[in-house]
Amino acid sequence: MQLLLALLAAVPAAGLVPIGAPPRRTSALAGFDPRISPHAYGSKTKVGVIIVDHGSRREESNKRHESLCRAYASTRARPNWIVRPAHMELAQPSIADAFDDCVREGCELVVCHPLFLGPGRHVVEDVPALLEEANARHPNVRSLMTEPLGNSPLLVDLIHDMVVPAVERKETEPDAFKNSFFGQIQAAIDAQAAAPKANAEADK
């Protein structure tokens, strides 16, 4: 969780892309233009940060995303940032809902971060279109979109941190298959197959 929050903290400050332009394929941690970065705005200017995922029919998944956004807001976001979760589809709040909420909070700039791993159709077409549509209702508010989360080189560390415990657990725990129902069946089959050989050895 901590590394993922660090990833999210790095992205809104860099890799910002004007609405309608395809995301750059450079690192999200590359140098950023202070003219369009939220850092260029004074500490008293409110900046909206919308973190958008795909959205799911499973409520647990949507709640997990919203919990992540709350954690980011409380541990990484600057005091003048208004962080809101959004789902691209299938669930609420939508990007438009989150954008409206940021405007109600007095934000002059809204930065949208797509919580996606790569520059697929959702990142290149769907999310920008939804953000542009939401922005059209508030022409006096600027909006920008970051590169997707997957463009960050820190993602390699996050993957490693997830893989290592699984490998170490596998190395120290008994074979899960042997203790399973099918593992016990296989053990019984192996025992039956070995019995004639054992009896033959005993008869010698």
Side-chain angles (χ1 to χ4, degrees):
M1 171 69 82
Q2 292 301 315
L3 184 53
L4 183 54
L5 289 174
L7 275 168
L8 288 173
V11 176
L16 298 171
V17 181
I19 298 306
R24 297 193 305 274
R25 296 179 182 272
T26 56
S27 166
L29 299 181
F32 60 89
D33 186 344
R35 294 171 300 176
I36 62 173
S37 167
H39 293 288
Y41 286 71
S43 60
K44 294 183 180 180
T45 300
K46 289 186 177 180
V47 176
V49 178
I50 298 175
I51 303 175
V52 57
D53 71 349
H54 184 279
S56 174
R57 291 186 176 88
R58 293 180 60 85
E59 187 61 25
E60 296 86 350
S61 175
N62 298 324
K63 288 181 177 179
R64 179 68 183 84
H65 174 64
E66 292 160 15
S67 175
L68 175 64
C69 293
R70 287 193 298 271
Y72 173 71
S74 63
T75 63
R76 295 294 194 276
R78 296 188 172 194
N80 59 312
W81 290 7
I82 307 298
V83 179
R84 292 293 182 266
H87 308 289
M88 188 191 73
E89 61 183 9
L90 302 177
Q92 299 295 325
S94 65
I95 292 175
D97 293 334
F99 201 106
D100 290 346
D101 198 21
C102 289
V103 174
R104 280 192 294 270
E105 292 287 341
C107 296
E108 299 177 24
L109 169 69
V110 175
V111 176
C112 179
H113 171 58
L115 198 67
F116 292 80
L117 292 182
R121 180 172 58 84
H122 290 327
V123 171
V124 174
E125 300 177 11
D126 298 336
V127 173
L130 291 169
L131 184 59
E132 185 175 14
E133 181 180 316
N135 198 167
R137 300 204 299 252
H138 308 282
N140 294 326
V141 177
R142 295 184 65 205
S143 64
L144 298 166
M145 183 171 148
T146 75
E147 297 182 27
L149 181 69
N151 280 24
S152 172
L154 293 178
L155 193 64
V156 174
D157 293 330
L158 181 60
I159 293 171
H160 186 65
D161 286 350
M162 300 296 288
V163 171
V164 168
V167 172
E168 292 177 347
R169 185 167 60 248
K170 179 64 176 178
E171 291 175 346
T172 57
E173 291 182 353
D175 191 329
F177 177 75
K178 290 182 179 179
N179 296 328
S180 69
F181 172 74
F182 292 106
Q184 293 175 12
I185 293 177
Q186 184 63 52
I189 293 173
D190 293 342
Q192 289 180 354
K197 182 178 180 180
N199 293 335
E201 291 293 333
D203 292 339
K204 289 183 179 178

